[in-house]
Amino acid sequence: MGLNELTLEEASNMIKKGDVSIEDITGDILSAIEADRKSDKPVNAYISFDLDHLKIEIENYRLNHKTPSLLNGVPIAVKDIINVKGTKTTCASRILKDYESPYDATAVELIRENGGIPAGKLNMDEFAMGSTSENSAFGIVRNPHNRDRIPGGSSGGAAAAVAGNLAIAALGSDTGGSIRQPACMCGVFGIKPTYGRVSRYGLVAYASSFDQIGPITKTVLDGAILLEAISGYDRRDSTSAPVKNEKYSDYVGQSIKGKKIGIPDEYFGEGLDNEVRRAVEYGIKILENAGAEVKKISLKYTRYAIATYYIIATAEASSNLARYDGIRYGTRLVSTDDLDRLYRENRSRGFGEEVKRRILLGTYTLSSGYYDAYYLKAQKVRTLIREDFKSAFGGVDIIVTPVSPKPAWEIGKMLDDPLQMYLADIYTVPVNLAGLPAASVPCGKTEDGLPIGIQLIAYHFNEADIFRAARIIEEGAA
Ligand code: GLN
C-alpha cells in the first residue's frame, strides 16, 4: 500500500511514532500525481504543486513543531481559491494565472499552527462557479471512479484528489454545494460548516454571504480533525462567529439514540434518481436502527431555492469580480492606451463563459430598474427559507436528504445547458441560503459502481450531531 492511501488519522499517528517521515508521504503522493499525469485520462486534480515551497513548509514545520500536534506534519491539499502565501492562487481562471498570494488565508495559517503542511493547489470550476469542474482554465477534472464522468464541482479537484489517493485530505469551499456535491460524487466525506464557523479571510470571494471553507476527507473522523484545525473566531473576517471551537472528533462514535431525524417531503420528489433514492432510504434505515426517531417534515419554500440562490449569488459575484480589471487585480492580457478597451478586452479574455454569464446575470438583477423585482425579492425569499429551516429544527435534530439528484454524469453532458446544471443544485443550495452546517457521507453505490452520498443537515453550530450521525452511516454503509 502506498502512503498516499493513508487517512489523515493514520498518517498523523505514523509520523508521530516515527514509522514514516513527512517526505515518505509526500513522495508517494507525488509519484501518484506523476503516474496520473502520464495516464490515458488523467484525473488532473491539481493546478499546481510547488516543490520548492513544499520543502520550505516542511523545514518550517520542523522548526516550529517539536512536540506532537493535531496534524503532526500531514500534507493537506488546498483548493486553488484559498491563499497560501508564496504560491499561486489562480481560482482556475486565466485572469489570475500569474497571481501569487502575498498572504495566507486564516484556514491555511491554522493548518500550519496545528502542525499540518499545505501541499498542492487543487483544480476547480473557475471562481467556484459550477457543479462539474469542467469550467477550469487548467483542464477538466475526471472522476477517479469512472474517468468518463465528472467528479462534481466546484471543489472537484479536492474530492477527486482525496478519492483517487492523490492527497491525504483537502480543503474545499462551498457556496451552494461545492464541498458536498463533489464529495458525494467521488465517494468521500465533505462538510460545509455553519456560516461563520471558519474564517473566510484569504478565501477569494465568489458570493460572500454564502462562501465557507471546509474539509474533504477519506473518513468522518478525518473531517472532524481537520475541521477542528481550521475553525475559530477571526477578527479579520467580519462575519466570523465568536463561538468556541470544538473537538469534533469527540462526537465521532457517540450514540444518536433518541435524536430526531426529519425527512423533508420536498427533497424526495420528481427528478430524483431511483438508485439515489434507494441509497438515501437505506441511510435513513441505518440511523433508525441506531435508535434515532424518524419523522416526516415539510420545507415548503424549497422550490424557490434555486431561483433565490442564483439571483443572490450572481449579484454578489458581479460585485466581487468587478475588481479583476488588469489594473488593480488580475493579469493584464492586452496592452493599449484606451482605458475602456483595456477593461473590456481584459475581462473578455480573462474570464471563461460561465463566469461571464454570471457577471451579466448579477449586474442585471442589481441594475436600478430590476433591483426591487429580483434582488430585493430574492432576499425576502431567503428569509422565508431560513425561517422554514428554523421551524423545522424546532422539532428535529438532523434533516436527512439526498445531495445530488443524480450520480456523477458523463463529461460534457450538461455543459451546453446551464439551467439544467443549476437545477441539479436543488438539494444543496437551501443549506447555504440558511447558513446551516451540512455534510455529505458516502452511502452506497449505483449498479455501475458510482458513489452515492447522503446529506446530513443540522441547525446553526450543531456540527456535533452531524458528526455523530455521519459516523453511524459510515459504519453501517461500509
Ligand atoms: N454549483 C453551485 C454554483 O455554481 C455551487 C458552487 C459552489 O458551491 N461554489 O454556484
Side-chain angles (χ1 to χ4, degrees):
M1 172 176 146
L3 299 173
N4 50 315
E5 292 171 46
L6 294 173
T7 66
L8 192 166
E9 185 218 1
E10 291 165 344
S12 161
N13 282 333
M14 287 171 82
I15 301 173
K16 189 166 72 188
K17 282 197 267 164
D19 293 346
V20 297
S21 70
I22 302 168
E23 286 85 349
D24 293 337
I25 296 177
T26 52
D28 280 6
I29 292 173
L30 289 165
S31 315
I33 295 173
E34 201 39 45
D36 177 63
R37 211 191 319 269
K38 289 190 190 132
S39 73
D40 211 16
K41 292 176 176 171
V43 171
N44 195 29
Y46 287 86
I47 288 180
S48 64
F49 206 123
D50 185 333
L51 295 183
D52 294 333
H53 189 261
L54 179 65
K55 275 200 197 113
I56 299 170
E57 290 274 8
I58 297 177
E59 246 168 59
N60 285 338
Y61 166 80
R62 294 211 165 106
L63 278 174
N64 296 325
H65 291 272
K66 306 284 184 211
T67 52
S69 51
L70 187 61
L71 302 173
N72 291 315
V74 178
I76 309 289
V78 179
K79 185 178 181 182
D80 207 18
I81 193 167
I82 300 170
N83 282 285
V84 178
K85 187 175 176 178
T87 70
K88 280 191 175 164
T89 300
T90 67
C91 298
S93 182
R94 244 167 81 77
I95 212 158
L96 285 177
K97 67 182 175 52
D98 302 319
Y99 177 71
E100 194 173 292
S101 307
Y103 71 108
D104 277 317
T106 301
V108 169
E109 231 171 57
L110 286 174
I111 284 202
R112 234 182 256 126
E113 259 172 44
N114 284 294
I117 297 190
K121 302 301 296 287
L122 297 158
N123 207 348
M124 53 183 278
D125 284 302
E126 185 178 6
F127 284 102
M129 297 176 188
S131 309
T132 63
S133 301
E134 293 167 294
N135 303 328
S136 167
F138 297 86
I140 60 162
V141 182
R142 292 173 188 275
N143 192 320
H145 292 273
N146 179 334
R147 304 282 172 120
D148 295 317
R149 306 234 166 199
I150 55 147
S154 67
S155 311
V162 172
N165 292 314
L166 304 168
I168 304 289
L171 287 190
S173 71
D174 191 312
T175 304
S178 281
I179 287 176
R180 290 158 286 154
Q181 189 258 27
C184 163
M185 290 187 172
C186 290
V188 291
F189 177 74
I191 179 161
K192 180 201 94 74
T194 309
Y195 185 79
R197 176 72 94 177
V198 176
S199 170
R200 289 183 297 110
Y201 180 77
L203 165 68
V204 178
Y206 158 17
S208 321
S209 75
F210 303 99
D211 300 339
Q212 269 293 287
I213 297 175
I216 296 184
T217 53
K218 291 174 189 172
T219 65
V220 174
L221 180 59
D222 283 3
I225 296 170
L226 194 50
L227 183 59
E228 183 187 338
I230 61 171
S231 47
Y233 173 70
D234 180 13
R235 61 174 178 77
R236 292 174 297 186
D237 169 4
S238 61
T239 57
S240 173
V243 292
K244 222 175 85 242
N245 199 4
E246 291 173 50
K247 195 162 183 282
Y248 304 100
S249 50
D250 282 350
Y251 307 124
V252 179
Q254 284 182 359
S255 156
I256 55 158
K257 215 173 230 121
K259 294 276 176 198
K260 294 197 182 64
I261 309 280
I263 313 297
D265 243 3
E266 292 81 355
Y267 283 65
F268 292 84
E270 205 192 325
L272 179 59
D273 174 272
N274 267 331
E275 286 185 290
V276 175
R277 181 193 304 271
R278 245 175 281 135
V280 174
E281 281 168 359
Y282 177 62
I284 296 168
K285 256 273 128 6
I286 294 173
L287 296 175
E288 204 169 13
N289 291 342
E293 188 189 313
V294 176
K295 56 181 197 177
K296 282 209 177 301
I297 59 165
S298 168
L299 292 165
K300 57 181 180 302
Y301 292 107
T302 305
R303 65 200 185 100
Y304 301 115
I306 293 283
T308 308
Y309 169 80
Y310 275 96
I311 289 170
I312 301 175
T314 55
E316 292 186 18
S318 81
S319 160
N320 278 328
L321 271 61
R323 72 190 67 170
Y324 305 105
D325 52 15
I327 302 169
R328 292 171 301 162
Y329 287 89
T331 310
R332 193 169 297 190
L333 298 160
V334 285
S335 115
T336 168
D337 293 337
D338 178 343
L339 187 61
D340 272 346
R341 212 186 125 212
L342 179 69
Y343 283 132
R344 204 169 44 241
E345 289 198 17
N346 241 338
R347 287 168 66 82
S348 302
R349 289 193 207 175
F351 291 131
E353 285 287 298
E354 183 59 28
V355 172
K356 280 187 254 189
R357 176 165 24 249
R358 295 190 186 204
I359 292 173
L360 286 173
L361 260 170
T363 307
Y364 178 79
T365 56
L366 285 177
S367 61
S368 63
Y370 297 99
Y371 182 91
D372 288 356
Y374 293 107
Y375 184 73
L376 201 64
K377 184 63 143 265
Q379 290 291 16
K380 289 178 181 168
V381 181
R382 180 177 193 174
T383 304
L384 293 176
I385 291 171
R386 284 183 83 103
E387 294 297 318
D388 223 8
F389 275 112
K390 189 174 175 195
S391 60
F393 277 115
V396 300
D397 303 293
I398 306 167
I399 294 176
V400 177
T401 76
V403 179
S404 164
K406 305 183 234 307
W409 53 84
E410 292 93 12
I411 288 166
K413 192 174 173 195
M414 283 200 204
L415 214 48
D416 300 326
D417 194 349
L419 186 60
Q420 217 43 44
M421 200 186 284
Y422 299 169
L423 289 174
D425 291 337
I426 177 65
Y427 304 136
T428 51
V429 296
V431 166
N432 302 72
L433 285 161
L436 299 167
S440 173
V441 191
C443 188
K445 287 191 170 176
T446 65
E447 256 177 38
D448 297 339
L450 296 171
I452 302 174
I454 183 169
Q455 178 167 239
L456 307 175
I457 311 169
Y459 202 52
H460 298 121
F461 301 106
N462 186 15
E463 280 84 351
D465 275 340
I466 294 181
F467 282 112
R468 290 186 181 106
R471 175 62 190 140
I472 283 164
I473 291 193
E474 178 174 57
E475 258 181 330

